[in-house]
Amino acid sequence: MVKKNSLIISKENKNTGSVEFQITSFTKKIRALVPHFELHKKDYSSQRGLRKILEKRRRLLSYLKKKNVLGYQRLISKLDIRESDSQ
């Protein structure tokens, strides 16, 4: 219960609707799912969910790159993710 409350408190201070926050949140979810797939290689429904999260993150990164190139570059370096080759 304490962990849940601390999560809520941390979200109150941040703009959870911002593109940067959403991309960061999706990246954390993706990194949490990777060890799961090392153990459960045939969990196809979770793989589908991962693909949906990856696609959402890709679209948000594309939007951020169009609107704020400097913010995009800072975010991908902070999160240590590769820059998209598309567009």
Side-chain angles (χ1 to χ4, degrees):
M1 190 73 171
V2 174
K3 188 174 184 179
K4 187 175 183 180
N5 289 337
S6 65
L7 182 65
I8 292 170
I9 291 168
S10 67
K11 283 187 177 182
E12 286 177 1
N13 299 331
K14 296 179 183 177
N15 182 4
T16 56
S18 73
V19 175
E20 292 87 354
F21 183 88
Q22 290 181 37
I23 292 170
T24 304
S25 176
F26 287 142
T27 301
K28 287 179 182 178
K29 286 181 184 180
I30 291 164
R31 289 186 177 148
L33 282 171
V34 169
H36 171 78
F37 291 122
E38 290 173 0
L39 292 173
H40 308 284
K41 293 180 184 352
K42 294 189 177 188
D43 187 357
Y44 300 117
S45 56
S46 292
Q47 287 177 11
R48 180 176 183 261
L50 175 65
R51 284 192 299 271
K52 289 176 89 169
I53 293 170
L54 286 166
E55 183 61 22
K56 283 181 187 179
R57 184 181 75 172
R58 189 193 62 77
R59 278 185 268 137
L60 285 171
L61 282 167
S62 175
Y63 171 79
L64 184 62
K65 189 175 183 178
K66 288 178 193 170
K67 297 293 181 184
N68 183 2
V69 175
L70 186 60
Y72 168 80
Q73 291 171 343
R74 261 191 257 133
L75 187 64
I76 63 170
S77 66
K78 183 180 114 180
L79 294 176
D80 193 32
I81 56 178
R82 289 182 287 173
E83 190 168 351
S84 177
D85 292 333
S86 63
Q87 294 184 355

